[in-house]
Amino acid sequence: TEVQKATVTIKVTPLVSSGSPHVHTKQCGNTDTGICDITFNLPSSFFATLAEIDQLQIEYGLQSQGTMQILGVIPSYHGPTLAPTAEGTLYAEIPSKSLYPGNQFDIEIRSLFSVYLKTAEIRVVLGDGLSFVGDEFAKENGADIFFGTVDREGSLASISLARKDSTEVGVQAGPTDEVLLTLRVRVSNQVIDGTNASVLLEGIRFKDGNEALLTPTETGILLTRDGQVTSSVGYVHFTQDQIVGIMSYTQGPAEMVNHAV
């Protein structure tokens, strides 16, 4: 048997801003299970009208019935941006969206000095629920730009790096924004919905191409859900899948038997 075809409507409505709802439709059915997976992307024009921190109401329904049911409300955050005046330190961006148990993400550490770095010493400390699972120094055209050591022990990484080839010594027109290294982080399977974990980025020692010691303006900058954080400590947030309903179905060939009573 097959499940009857039906057109499902998904409606996304901003609750804080006055932006127009986005409506998405998909024809479901013609499967032996009746399960319909719906995935879609919201257009950039939709996000352009949202408040900095908005609430999006998700509704769904069958087009033939003309009524909608509320699935839930999810938060929306504008992606963090680096202030034009940020310079003389290093920075990294951490996820704004809430993460699920087992998720992985990268922390890409970049330089905001107006000179190219010859050497650097960096420390990154993760809070409960996060751990390091990998690291990689920056490459260009497949070749290593830096070499050094990354001592990773669970939630603490101590990094020492040096440029592999000679360092350009001239002062640039602005921050170089060059990538130094990337750290891969994993979310524990035991994190609890609604909690968060800290990420600390600390630049310890920097030298330019003339081996001159550089004085950073900040210990480090993190771009987070809360915007640009110059205290060098930011937070990632956790969530979990919620059971919203249970549906039974039969998969594969099946028989329906009528018994006379």
Side-chain angles (χ1 to χ4, degrees):
T1 61
E2 291 184 345
V3 178
Q4 182 179 354
K5 290 182 179 179
T7 300
V8 177
T9 301
I10 306 292
K11 184 179 180 181
V12 184
T13 306
L15 298 182
V16 177
S17 62
S18 57
S20 301
H22 176 81
V23 178
H24 178 83
T25 60
K26 180 178 180 178
Q27 189 175 71
C28 295
N30 262 2
T31 66
D32 57 359
T33 64
I35 295 177
C36 183
D37 233 345
I38 300 177
T39 303
F40 63 93
N41 295 319
L42 292 167
S44 57
S45 57
F46 177 84
F47 292 100
T49 61
L50 296 183
E52 187 169 346
I53 299 178
D54 216 318
Q55 299 288 322
L56 305 181
Q57 180 174 277
I58 314 298
E59 300 172 84
Y60 69 97
L62 296 177
Q63 195 175 67
S64 59
Q65 294 180 351
T67 58
M68 305 288 284
Q69 296 189 46
I70 297 176
L71 177 63
V73 176
I74 59 174
S76 169
Y77 302 93
H78 273 248
T81 56
L82 192 64
T85 55
E87 59 181 289
T89 184
L90 45 79
Y91 79 99
E93 182 175 344
I94 57 178
S96 295
K97 67 179 183 180
S98 296
L99 303 175
Y100 289 85
N103 279 172
Q104 294 188 10
F105 64 93
D106 290 339
I107 299 177
E108 190 178 72
I109 301 175
R110 290 175 169 266
S111 169
L112 284 175
F113 288 95
S114 57
V115 293
Y116 287 98
L117 296 179
K118 176 65 176 178
T119 63
E121 294 178 28
I122 305 165
R123 190 167 72 107
V124 181
V125 183
L126 305 176
D128 292 342
L130 300 174
S131 59
F132 293 110
V133 293
D135 57 76
E136 183 179 35
F137 288 112
K139 296 178 181 294
E140 189 173 90
N141 300 324
D144 291 336
I145 299 176
F146 295 96
F147 69 96
T149 60
V150 181
D151 295 325
R152 291 188 287 108
E153 186 176 347
S155 60
L156 170 64
S158 298
I159 303 116
S160 297
L161 58 86
R163 192 173 293 274
K164 194 170 183 180
D165 299 315
S166 59
T167 307
E168 185 177 341
V169 296
V171 177
Q172 307 302 304
T176 62
D177 197 33
E178 66 172 337
V179 179
L180 304 179
L181 80 154
T182 301
L183 298 169
R184 177 151 292 183
V185 178
R186 185 182 186 278
V187 179
S188 165
N189 290 330
Q190 282 72 49
V191 295
I192 299 173
D193 182 42
T195 61
N196 57 47
S198 61
V199 177
L200 180 144
L201 173 64
E202 186 176 26
I204 299 173
R205 186 181 176 89
F206 306 97
K207 286 186 177 181
D208 65 12
N210 292 316
E211 299 288 337
L213 192 63
L214 301 173
T215 303
T217 57
E218 304 281 353
T219 306
I221 292 175
L222 284 171
L223 301 181
T224 75
R225 173 187 291 189
D226 303 312
Q228 178 175 306
V229 178
T230 56
S231 63
S232 75
V233 178
Y235 293 88
V236 294
H237 301 261
F238 304 132
T239 189
Q240 288 181 325
D241 286 324
Q242 304 293 328
I243 297 177
V244 297
I246 299 176
M247 180 184 67
S248 61
Y249 67 94
T250 301
Q251 191 167 8
E255 294 181 352
M256 181 179 293
V257 181
N258 290 328
H259 292 280
V261 178

